[in-house]
Amino acid sequence: MNYRPQSEYELRTKLARKGYDPDEIGKVMDKLRHYGYLNDSELADDLFVSFRNRKCYGDTYIHQKLKSRGLHTNKHLTAEEEIDIAVSLLEEKVRIKPELLINYRKAAAFLLRRGLSQSAVMTALREVRTFEYED
């Protein structure tokens, strides 16, 4: 059986769905925090680092994923990291679909869906286009 760390929000939701009393849930959360089994800030930071290391998602996407699990972190990708991610994603996608070199709207949409900033997307489109035509 696979286990993954869960946030307090996720655990509270599951227990409430199973019909547990809110007071009981609160006591359980207190005990889990006390024994170190529940630490949302540590979990959020770990997940952020994990997403950043995958190098295929932008800051917006990462923070939306964290928010959906009831988590928050003050960490953010730098502009340079987002540009690097956007360029590498676009170069990889262009190898599979070369028509993206001339269809900027589809290329931009692909990168924006990955949660990359508009400035990173525009920079990546310029860099990949320049790189491809230098051959």
Side-chain angles (χ1 to χ4, degrees):
M1 184 172 236
N2 291 332
Y3 294 98
R4 73 171 174 86
Q6 297 190 6
S7 67
E8 183 172 336
Y9 168 78
E10 291 172 306
L11 287 174
R12 281 183 182 278
T13 303
K14 280 185 180 180
L15 292 172
R17 207 177 312 130
K18 291 187 180 217
Y20 288 96
D21 182 71
D23 291 334
E24 289 177 316
I25 294 172
K27 289 176 186 175
V28 168
M29 294 300 126
D30 289 342
K31 279 189 178 183
L32 289 172
R33 267 189 249 98
H34 174 75
Y35 290 113
Y37 293 119
L38 188 62
N39 186 336
D40 279 0
S41 63
E42 191 176 293
L43 177 60
D45 289 344
D46 289 348
L47 288 172
F48 179 85
V49 169
S50 176
F51 276 114
R52 181 176 56 202
N53 291 342
R54 289 181 197 169
K55 297 185 180 185
C56 56
Y57 301 109
D59 199 59
T60 303
Y61 181 92
I62 294 170
H63 284 272
Q64 285 175 344
K65 282 294 194 184
L66 292 175
K67 186 178 179 182
S68 73
R69 293 183 65 178
L71 299 169
H72 173 75
T73 184
N74 291 327
K75 293 183 178 187
H76 293 278
L77 294 176
T78 64
E80 294 82 21
E81 285 177 310
E82 280 215 335
I83 291 169
D84 290 343
I85 291 168
V87 168
S88 67
L89 284 173
L90 191 56
E91 286 174 344
E92 188 68 30
K93 191 72 166 180
V94 164
R95 284 189 201 112
I96 298 166
K97 291 185 168 193
E99 65 271 11
L100 287 181
L101 281 175
I102 55 173
N103 193 336
Y104 293 110
R105 185 174 289 166
K106 281 188 177 182
F110 164 71
L111 294 173
L112 289 170
R113 281 192 304 273
R114 292 294 182 113
L116 295 154
S117 67
Q118 287 184 335
S119 61
V121 169
M122 296 310 293
T123 302
L125 288 171
R126 282 192 299 271
E127 282 188 29
V128 171
R129 183 175 155 239
T130 303
F131 173 76
E132 290 295 322
Y133 288 119
E134 285 179 355
D135 289 349

